[in-house]
Amino acid sequence: MAQVLIVEDDPQIRPLLMRALDERGHAVASAATGMSGLSAAVETRPDLVILDLGLPDVDGGQVLTMLRSVSDVPVIVATARDDDPSLIACLDAGADDYLVKPFSTAQLEARIRAVLRRVGGGRREQPLTVGGLRIQVAARRVTLDGRELDLSPREFDLLRHLAERPDEVVTKRELLTDVWHQAWGGSDKTVDVHLSWLRRKLGETAAEPRYLHTVRGVGVRLVDPTD
Ligand code: CA
């Protein structure tokens, strides 16, 4: 759920939008003019702004341009003007998405979700998960069924590389290139040794694999054993 700022002058539409988003669990604030919307966006730092283009004091497009010079808050432009040029101008000026009035609250909610998902990727990192494995890439932490694993840097890189492409067979050549940064040379044995250490830490063996499956003569793949 998000903190949403609605900048909309229409006295009928504004409370409707506020109620709809409030019912969906968002924390909602509003402004009825461009300038008050701009200062609210700067002061309250919402997660997302819904910006009407037809405002009484300043045109929404100008509000957007001013806002962009001080903030990268996601903005969804709402407009009754469905002419291409003004929408394209808004997207060029830094709007993340747009809605043409009249729109349903379901449409609005879908756009909000999509925009927050897109911008959220950079800010709040989603861990990689495969079965009971949970890998926090930036923090370089791994848990298996909630228990923290003590991996060496190389084991971590190896596991992460495989977890980024679950179910795919990754060749040892590729692992030597991407994990060991040995584009030429390097030995399969190096990979085998680290794989066996990693297996031990995952509590499995090559003979009875759960996550790490060797594909003889080709490479290795990480699978979700709970699938
Ligand atoms: Ca308006």
Side-chain angles (χ1 to χ4, degrees):
M1 298 302 103
Q3 268 187 281
V4 181
L5 172 66
I6 298 171
V7 185
E8 166 67 75
D9 63 316
D10 190 304
Q12 260 114 47
I13 296 178
R14 193 173 60 246
L16 277 178
L17 288 180
M18 290 188 72
R19 199 174 323 129
L21 293 180
D22 179 73
E23 277 167 7
R24 283 160 196 263
H26 298 297
V28 195
S30 78
T33 64
M35 291 318 286
S36 62
L38 192 59
S39 52
V42 173
E43 280 158 24
T44 66
R45 295 171 168 274
D47 297 315
L48 183 121
V49 175
I50 295 164
L51 178 65
D52 177 31
L53 286 190
L55 294 166
D57 54 341
V58 197
D59 181 80
Q62 280 173 272
V63 174
L64 178 62
T65 305
M66 289 188 273
L67 183 58
R68 274 291 167 261
S69 67
V70 292
S71 163
D72 58 2
V73 61
V75 174
I76 297 175
V77 163
T79 177
R81 315 168 196 167
D82 61 351
D83 57 317
D84 274 358
S86 67
L87 285 178
I88 290 167
C90 281
L91 293 170
D92 282 344
D96 295 86
D97 208 342
Y98 66 90
L99 282 161
V100 176
K101 292 175 183 174
F103 51 81
S104 67
T105 52
Q107 263 179 314
L108 175 61
E109 177 63 19
R111 297 290 170 100
I112 290 175
R113 269 203 309 272
V115 166
L116 290 177
R117 200 163 48 229
R118 279 207 300 272
V119 301
R123 270 190 271 166
R124 286 177 298 270
E125 188 199 1
Q126 285 289 94
L128 283 170
T129 58
V130 179
L133 268 178
R134 188 181 155 89
I135 303 170
Q136 292 169 271
V137 176
R140 296 184 70 88
R141 291 182 62 199
V142 181
T143 57
L144 175 61
D145 301 327
R147 182 174 54 86
E148 182 132 13
L149 299 184
D150 182 21
L151 303 185
S152 73
R154 195 74 85 185
E155 289 160 358
F156 176 87
D157 291 339
L158 178 58
L159 183 62
R160 179 185 88 173
H161 193 83
L162 295 170
E164 279 168 348
R165 293 156 53 188
D167 297 326
E168 267 182 54
V169 180
V170 181
T171 65
K172 290 177 187 174
R173 177 74 262 154
E174 197 179 327
L175 291 169
L176 282 168
T177 305
D178 293 343
V179 178
W180 275 266
H181 307 295
Q182 295 186 328
W184 299 276
S187 159
D188 283 6
K189 274 269 175 290
T190 309
V191 179
D192 290 336
V193 167
H194 281 83
L195 279 172
S196 82
W197 287 338
L198 192 51
R199 275 204 177 94
R200 200 176 310 159
K201 291 184 180 177
L202 293 174
E204 60 185 63
T205 62
E208 282 180 75
R210 291 184 68 227
Y211 287 91
L212 289 171
H213 293 250
T214 298
V215 181
R216 203 174 292 280
V218 187
V220 62
R221 66 194 177 104
L222 184 75
V223 305
D224 178 353
T226 61
D227 266 356

